[in-house]
Amino acid sequence: MEKLKKVGLMILSCVLCSIAVNWVALPNGFPVTGIAGISMVLENWTGINYAIIYYGITLLILAATFFVLGIAEVRSILFLSVLYPAVLWILNHMTISVVLEERLIAVALFGVLYGGGAGIVLRIGYSYGGMDTLSKILKKLFFKSGEIRYIMLGADSCIMFFMLTVFSLDKLAYAFVGQLITVNVMNYIIFNGPSLYDVQIIGEETSEIRRFMIEILHKSMTSHEVVGAYTDKTRIQMDCVCTSVEYVKLKEFIFEQKIECFIKVTPLISVFGANKDFRRLKDEIL
């Protein structure tokens, strides 16, 4: 049942993003940034439908992901890498247009639809295999010490300059505004929910995680030894309370550093303590 729910959410996400591009952005005369933006430029150069070009670029990214990042990363993007371009192509051939008199309202509608669709899949741990995956590949190959968000920002900027070869500056400005709205809506979908999480991490080598939490995120942790009942081996267990943003950063760090560990994450209703993220018991009405 849980797998069917995830598949349903991914299909819904693909439909929302495809509607945003095909039925809102294009009919109202502004392009889309990212991989779709590259595809739209190449469509103007070649005459090939942008959705087909998008499919080709996505498959190239999928192949590069396998060789550079490994099979584990491929699993998180494989389904959507195949499904989304197909849905994008199908909806592109439907003669439905949502044309609004005010283009800024159309841009806002695009941002809500696309950001909502993208946020759904990111919240359940999957990805379209677009700019985020491309940025991970660039980091692995060329910018090993760079942060993903800055690499993605640089890549997006290069794509927008590339799009100037076909689209006017004012159309690109609308695309940029749409991207800003998309990111904000996407972040709301991802982080709207429990604000605090209890994170338990068990592993043999946890010193790098401890350093990241204390020195980078400035979070305190509790550390103690535990014994596995099945292996009878001693491991280190670390417990901490994170905000949703901190948890995402921690998860990305563990993935990027390829640290083998067991992680259990539990949403919390409330936490009391002296930390700025916690509530004060004396302030509560009991």
Side-chain angles (χ1 to χ4, degrees):
M1 182 61 72
E2 186 65 25
K3 287 185 177 180
L4 287 175
K5 180 181 177 182
K6 286 185 177 181
V7 170
L9 287 172
M10 285 190 278
I11 293 172
L12 173 62
S13 172
C14 290
V15 170
L16 287 175
C17 291
S18 298
I19 288 174
V21 175
N22 290 310
W23 299 358
V24 179
L26 296 181
N28 285 279
F30 61 91
V32 181
T33 60
I35 304 300
I38 297 175
S39 304
M40 290 175 184
V41 171
L42 295 178
E43 180 184 38
N44 276 269
W45 290 357
T46 64
I48 301 172
N49 186 283
Y50 87 93
I52 296 175
I53 297 173
Y54 188 103
Y55 221 135
I57 295 175
T58 301
L59 293 178
L60 287 174
I61 292 175
L62 186 63
T65 301
F66 175 76
F67 289 110
V68 178
L69 301 178
I71 190 65
E73 184 71 17
V74 170
R75 292 193 187 101
S76 68
I77 68 173
L78 179 60
F79 183 74
L80 288 168
S81 294
V82 175
L83 178 64
Y84 178 59
V87 176
L88 199 65
W89 185 81
I90 292 170
L91 267 63
N92 182 249
H93 286 75
M94 292 185 179
T95 55
I96 299 176
S97 301
V98 182
V99 180
L100 301 171
E101 291 184 10
E102 293 291 336
R103 187 177 285 181
L104 279 176
I105 297 177
V107 169
L109 177 60
F110 163 81
V112 170
L113 289 173
Y114 200 96
I120 289 172
V121 293
L122 290 172
R123 182 171 180 125
I124 61 177
Y126 292 86
S127 169
Y128 279 106
M131 292 305 299
D132 54 340
T133 303
L134 181 59
S135 299
K136 291 177 182 178
I137 294 171
L138 292 173
K139 176 180 173 64
K140 181 77 172 180
L141 294 176
F142 307 108
F143 310 106
K144 299 184 186 298
S145 61
E147 291 187 30
I148 291 289
R149 55 179 174 171
Y150 294 128
I151 296 172
M152 190 180 299
L153 178 62
D156 273 326
S157 299
C158 291
I159 289 172
M160 292 190 76
F161 278 113
F162 177 65
M163 292 174 68
L164 280 172
T165 61
V166 170
F167 300 104
S168 64
L169 188 59
D170 64 327
K171 288 186 177 180
L172 208 56
Y174 283 114
F176 178 71
V177 173
Q179 180 69 6
L180 291 178
I181 297 172
T182 294
V183 170
N184 280 281
V185 173
M186 186 172 63
N187 286 336
Y188 178 80
I189 296 294
I190 296 171
F191 299 121
N192 184 34
S195 58
L196 294 172
Y197 296 87
D198 177 26
V199 181
Q200 296 180 358
I201 304 170
I202 301 175
E204 293 183 6
E205 296 294 333
T206 56
S207 58
E208 284 299 308
I209 298 175
R210 183 168 62 250
R211 183 196 63 80
F212 177 79
M213 291 297 295
I214 295 173
E215 297 180 11
I216 306 300
L217 296 185
H218 306 292
K219 301 292 291 187
S220 60
M221 304 186 75
T222 301
S223 178
H224 55 276
E225 291 186 348
V226 294
V227 179
Y230 183 77
T231 62
D232 201 32
K233 292 183 178 180
T234 301
R235 299 284 189 271
I236 300 297
Q237 176 174 322
M238 296 187 298
D239 302 322
C240 64
V241 175
C242 297
T243 64
S244 54
V245 175
E246 291 165 344
Y247 165 61
V248 170
K249 290 180 179 179
L250 173 61
K251 186 171 65 172
E252 288 179 349
F253 173 78
I254 292 173
F255 173 78
E256 290 173 4
Q257 298 298 317
K258 294 183 170 58
I259 300 173
E260 293 293 333
C261 59
F262 170 83
I263 306 175
K264 184 172 74 171
V265 183
T266 307
L268 299 172
I269 297 174
S270 185
V271 178
F272 299 96
N275 188 283
K276 61 181 176 62
D277 297 319
F278 305 156
R279 296 181 182 180
R280 303 293 190 273
L281 188 60
K282 64 182 179 62
D283 296 332
E284 291 292 301
I285 301 176
L286 303 178

